[in-house]
Amino acid sequence: MPALRLTFRLTFATVLSVAALIPAAAGAQSDLRSPLPPAAPAPAPATTTPATASSSSSDSGLQGWQQALLFGAGALLLAGIAWVIVRDARRAAPVEDHGPSRGGGPTRAQARQRARARAKAARRQRKRNR
């Protein structure tokens, strides 16, 4: 119990110290009826010079083969991730046989025979427990 009180006190002290660090509202924001400050002067318009065609074509971004390489690497990465996920899911999934087409499991007749045997055993058990 004393440890709980100590934990509570430390948590409370931490919250108070964090709250003390948060700045209070600015003075201009506290009173909505105060006049607005004067507007800043408009900046001088900047003069633009036309760019030459050679400078704009030198920085055009990726070339076509580079884009294809990036998209191919991305697709390969996604395919690898999917393959690992599917492989792991197949290893972790329970193995269930669904008939002779899936690895020589029991046929319908065998399953029916097993169900009848279980029902017979259950009837015998119920008779014994009367």
Side-chain angles (χ1 to χ4, degrees):
M1 195 65 152
L4 183 64
R5 287 182 183 168
L6 179 65
T7 305
F8 177 74
R9 287 180 182 173
L10 287 175
T11 305
F12 188 70
T14 305
V15 169
L16 283 179
S17 63
V18 169
L21 294 176
I22 298 173
Q29 294 175 352
S30 63
D31 188 16
L32 296 178
R33 290 173 280 154
S34 64
L36 294 176
T47 57
T48 58
T49 57
T52 60
S54 62
S55 66
S56 64
S57 65
S58 66
D59 190 22
S60 63
L62 296 176
Q63 295 177 0
W65 67 272
Q66 292 171 330
Q67 286 181 350
L69 186 66
L70 283 174
F71 284 122
L76 187 65
L77 180 68
L78 288 176
I81 291 171
W83 178 74
V84 168
I85 289 172
V86 169
R87 183 188 64 173
D88 185 50
R90 285 185 180 161
R91 285 183 182 171
V95 177
E96 295 179 11
D97 289 332
H98 297 288
S101 64
R102 292 228 172 172
T107 60
R108 283 188 185 179
Q110 291 170 341
R112 195 176 312 125
Q113 186 179 12
R114 206 175 321 127
R116 285 180 185 156
R118 277 185 281 189
K120 253 183 172 180
R123 277 193 300 270
R124 277 183 272 151
Q125 182 70 27
R126 284 193 302 269
K127 282 183 181 180
R128 254 187 267 142
N129 290 334
R130 285 185 184 179

